[in-house]
Amino acid sequence: MENVRGLFQIMTRRFGFLNKNCCTAGGFEISLVQSHILYEIDRQTKPSIQQVSEALGTDVTTFSRQIQALIKMKLVKKVPDSEDRRVQVLSLTTEGKYVAATIDHQMNEYLDEVFSHMNDFEKETVLRSIKLLNGAMAKSSMCCITPIG
């Protein structure tokens, strides 16, 4: 049997997931977690801290530290919700939108280059397989934890 964990380890390294910073955009060094946060805030409409935290599968405490760092960098704004002042709504600043768009462009260029080494059938097979794997992972009772922890 093939070493499945080994395949994921190699893919993780090649994607740069182990790097401290995943990208540089607009003069900012952005961590992988921060990149995911910017993506989610950009993707959702006026999301709350809780909504983005849940979408990323992170606890709110850890997430709040990351949000504070992004606010300090002037990439994210946090304001009370107009209907429920206890809820904090997140949005990207103009600079945050630029950084998110730059990262998105960089990632799409990288993926286009990777897929350029495959024919259409291979590309579709990989994408279909990733969707299948994501669906199976969503059904797993062990989601987001290590098998021991």
Side-chain angles (χ1 to χ4, degrees):
M1 165 132 179
E2 218 165 338
N3 180 354
V4 176
R5 179 173 179 206
L7 291 173
F8 278 96
Q9 295 287 107
I10 291 167
M11 188 171 66
T12 297
R13 283 194 295 272
R14 288 192 175 143
F15 241 117
F17 292 155
L18 301 178
N19 299 349
K20 182 175 182 264
N21 293 316
C22 75
C23 19
T24 303
F28 295 98
E29 289 288 323
I30 305 295
S31 73
L32 183 63
V33 172
Q34 291 168 337
S35 166
H36 280 267
I37 292 170
L38 293 173
Y39 177 83
E40 278 303 320
I41 293 172
D42 198 32
R43 193 180 69 79
Q44 298 185 35
T45 308
K46 294 185 179 179
S48 68
I49 287 179
Q50 188 73 30
Q51 287 171 313
V52 177
S53 171
E54 284 174 9
L56 295 174
T58 60
D59 71 285
V60 177
T61 309
T62 306
F63 182 75
S64 290
R65 281 193 297 274
Q66 293 293 336
I67 288 297
Q68 288 309 318
L70 289 167
I71 289 171
K72 204 175 200 178
M73 295 162 79
K74 296 182 171 43
L75 300 178
V76 171
K77 286 187 293 196
K78 177 175 76 167
V79 296
D81 184 56
S82 56
E83 294 164 24
D84 184 350
R85 311 284 296 162
R86 296 169 297 171
V87 175
Q88 297 290 313
V89 175
L90 300 173
S91 62
L92 299 180
T93 63
T94 303
E95 187 80 317
K97 287 178 185 178
Y98 171 78
V99 169
T102 301
I103 294 169
D104 196 46
H105 179 73
Q106 290 170 352
M107 285 304 301
N108 287 329
E109 272 189 344
Y110 173 66
L111 292 170
D112 287 346
E113 197 278 328
V114 168
F115 282 123
S116 75
H117 301 286
M118 298 179 196
N119 64 38
D120 288 344
F121 175 75
E122 291 167 332
K123 178 181 174 182
E124 287 305 314
T125 301
V126 168
L127 294 175
R128 197 169 42 256
S129 298
I130 291 170
K131 288 176 188 172
L132 187 64
L133 180 63
N134 279 337
M137 289 171 81
K139 294 174 189 170
S140 172
S141 61
M142 298 174 74
C143 177
C144 307
I145 59 166
T146 56
I148 342 171

